[in-house]
Amino acid sequence: MRIQYFDGAKWKEISKERRIYYRPVFATRGNIYSDNESILATSLPFYRIAFDPSVVDAQKFNAGADSLAYLLSRFYKDRSEDYYRRKIRNARHAGRRYVRLNSKLVNYQEKKIMAKWPIFREGKNKGGVIFEKVEKRFKPFGLLAERTIGFINEDKNGAGLEFSFNDNLAGTNGEALFERIAGGSKPIYDGTELKPQHGYDIKTTIDINLQDVAENALYKALEKTNAEYGCVIMMEVKTGEIKAIVNLGKTKGGYIEDYNYAVGNQGRTEPGSTFKLASMMALFEHDSSISLNDTVDTGNGSYRIKNTIMSDAKTGGYGKLSVQQIFEKSSNIGVAKLMEQYFGNDQQAYINYLHKFGLANTLGFQMDGEARPFIKSTQDRTWYGTTLTSMAIGYETKFSPLQTLALYNAVANNGVKIQPIIVKEIRKADEVIQSFKTRVLNEKVCSDETLKKLRIMLEGVVENGTAKNIRSTDYKVAGKTGTARKVKNGKYVREYSTSFAGYFPADKPKYSAIVIIDSPKGVNVYGGDVAAPVFKELADKAFARDLAMHKPLLARMVPNKDSLPQVKAGSFDDITLICNKIGISTHPKGEEEEWVKAKPERRALNLEPNPVPNGRVPDVTGMNLRDALFILGNQRLQVQVQGAGGRVQTQSLEPGTVISKNQKIIIVLS
């Protein structure tokens, strides 16, 4: 009695204070964009539907309750109309101010529809409807670059860009007053709430088209060879911008992006023969008089070093080889003999060169989890009489694929070693908060004389050596294959990590790339057979869509004024440029248009306008793939390509057809 009558006000106030509390209002997470500002990850609003039946006028409640129950049952399709009728009527009868109608989330469009239902249409204050906003991360391109985009969980643990840039993406939460009531909590809008500061967006360097090509090419190779995992990295030589990065690991259902092998510790392995580039760099820097024509007798393919036998891939051996051929054929014995000759009496000098090249240091990559390179010292207890020659061919040392690629990119970049980057900007709407550019890690990894020799050797691998199966007639590739035996239970076994690292076009490098395929099964499990074809598929697609890489080809064309070029349609500027280079006259007909059709007349080409009407299907027959994709993409058409090369022979939609939303078009290349 005393508590009720004398201390009642006191305890009511305490009870009220305990019912009222502040709860965070979560900020909207920032978006992640590709290089052309396509959305790679965004937060979409979803809603849970709750109900406060106590605020609804009795007449309106009785008039609308049955209809509301019917609509809820029909919408959620999980409970009967009678179930929802009892739920909302019992809640009102019990005086409950909060009841969650269903735990399933609805999207914004569904929310708009539900807001027009009986009772709900009266709004929050009179209709009692409570739409509790819940944001879910959505990736418009599905699994594309999934591990690179990454995730972050409720404990703030995660991976990829979501984790590495969480401080920027997350924003700052606000807070608002909530009241604890039967069945949950209800927000109180009294003007004291603190609005959240939404997260910043990040713009990456990823090219979604090259990313898609890389993923498809790697997936096919992994399936074909039943490999354990694989990764691909492609970057621009001058800028260090990563245009594609793929990581696929084996599961029961196929291959998924389960770990960042390209950057992290699980992908840090003995590189094998791709590391011979560093060894040859050290040799040339140590003694500039070494010529590519100098010879080494590699014997019958078997060579004893201390208490171990080193062998070459070819049964019976290669015999006498030049330095150039040692690299092209990836002769272990040839490299080992050169190392013994020039570093046998000063093995630490070789290690010093590796440090000078920056190979012992991390790259300071923008994403968390970069593996630390491992290079032995001559003072190491595990340094044996065979360590020098073993390291020289890519064993007893460990690097991530990205770290190996950085060295190859330095050779392509005239000796300047730069830091790879994957994020270009942090932005708030259109305002750039912070921008990123690559920084120079090593002004000059080696001399120009050494660079010249290395680039000749790398081109030779593709022209005459272990990767001649990917030689292209359209452009030159420079690179090196790698096939490293795996270690299990402390012993080398007959399983391999295969690789190919290089750059293209070799004469004017635009892109560098590395492909790793781990533990492939089958007969041909060398880097040239397994990893190099993936590199070629990616390089071919990149070359086909980059007109800037085509122009150097024009200078190599031999003029033939007695025949006309096989030009049918394309850009006015490109066609006139080609014709001017080879001495063919062009005659524009009618008003000058950006896109034209070429028709031969005697020893000249008439260029007739080929306009691109907005909202209608353009005519792309006769065009090369790059021009066709550019025009059709700008018209918002979804393009499917059939055929491996050449020009567009046919298109599935007639020119002039009105374009509908999400319409597809098939183009066939001749």
Side-chain angles (χ1 to χ4, degrees), residues 244-269:
I245 180 168
V246 186
N247 297 278
L248 295 174
K250 189 176 184 180
T251 64
K252 290 182 179 179
Y255 293 90
I256 62 171
E257 289 225 341
D258 60 343
Y259 183 80
N260 196 341
Y261 301 101
V263 177
N265 282 313
Q266 288 188 38
R268 186 188 74 157
T269 61

Side-chain angles (χ1 to χ4, degrees), residues 60 63-65 67-68 71 114-122 127:
K60 289 181 179 177
S67 297
L68 180 60
L71 291 169
M114 298 175 85
K116 298 178 181 178
W117 287 357
I119 300 179
F120 285 3
R121 68 170 65 104
E122 302 299 325

Side-chain angles (χ1 to χ4, degrees), residues 24-229:
V25 178
F26 297 106
T28 297
R29 194 170 181 82
N31 297 329
I32 299 177
Y33 293 99
S34 70
D35 65 344
N36 70 347
E37 304 200 6
S38 297
I39 295 177
L40 298 176
T42 189
S43 292
L44 296 182
F46 288 84
Y47 302 86
R48 289 193 185 94
I49 311 304
F51 186 41
D52 177 2
S54 69
V55 303
V56 185
D57 176 80
Q59 183 178 353
K60 289 181 179 177
F61 182 87
N62 291 328
D66 289 349
S67 297
L68 180 60
Y70 167 76
L71 291 169
L72 287 167
S73 175
R74 186 177 178 184
F75 179 84
Y76 286 114
K77 297 183 175 65
D78 60 347
R79 302 279 188 170
S80 67
E81 176 184 346
D82 188 53
Y83 166 84
Y84 282 106
R85 183 185 299 109
R86 289 198 308 270
K87 186 168 188 173
I88 58 179
R89 286 190 178 276
N90 289 344
R92 181 177 175 88
H93 180 73
R96 294 178 62 186
R97 298 182 59 192
Y98 179 94
V99 57
R100 184 171 291 173
L101 297 176
N102 199 295
S103 60
K104 292 181 181 178
L105 300 178
V106 302
N107 62 33
Y108 179 73
Q109 294 301 324
E110 292 168 332
K111 169 184 174 284
K112 288 176 65 176
I113 293 170
M114 298 175 85
K116 298 178 181 178
W117 287 357
I119 300 179
F120 285 3
R121 68 170 65 104
E122 302 299 325
K124 180 185 65 173
N125 295 327
K126 294 183 178 181
V129 63
I130 303 170
F131 292 108
E132 297 178 330
K133 187 176 179 181
V134 178
E135 290 191 336
K136 291 181 67 177
R137 210 63 171 154
F138 175 68
K139 300 173 183 176
F141 291 95
L143 300 180
L144 194 74
E146 182 179 31
R147 190 67 184 192
T148 302
I149 296 169
F151 66 94
I152 188 161
N153 59 26
E154 293 179 356
D155 298 324
K156 306 301 180 185
N157 295 319
L161 294 170
E162 294 276 21
F163 177 72
S164 302
F165 284 82
N166 182 56
D167 289 347
N168 303 109
L169 291 165
T172 305
N173 294 334
E175 62 179 13
L177 276 174
F178 282 77
E179 181 182 4
R180 290 188 180 93
I181 55 178
S185 300
K186 181 180 179 181
I188 300 172
Y189 299 101
D190 65 349
T192 64
E193 59 269 11
L194 184 65
K195 291 184 178 180
Q197 300 297 314
H198 299 312
Y200 294 143
D201 301 328
I202 63 173
K203 181 178 179 180
T204 72
T205 62
I206 297 294
D207 182 315
I208 55 174
N209 294 308
L210 293 177
Q211 179 75 22
D212 188 43
V213 170
E215 289 196 13
N216 288 330
L218 181 63
Y219 197 100
K220 287 186 295 183
L222 293 173
E223 275 196 322
K224 181 179 179 181
T225 60
N226 192 26
E228 290 303 309
Y229 73 81

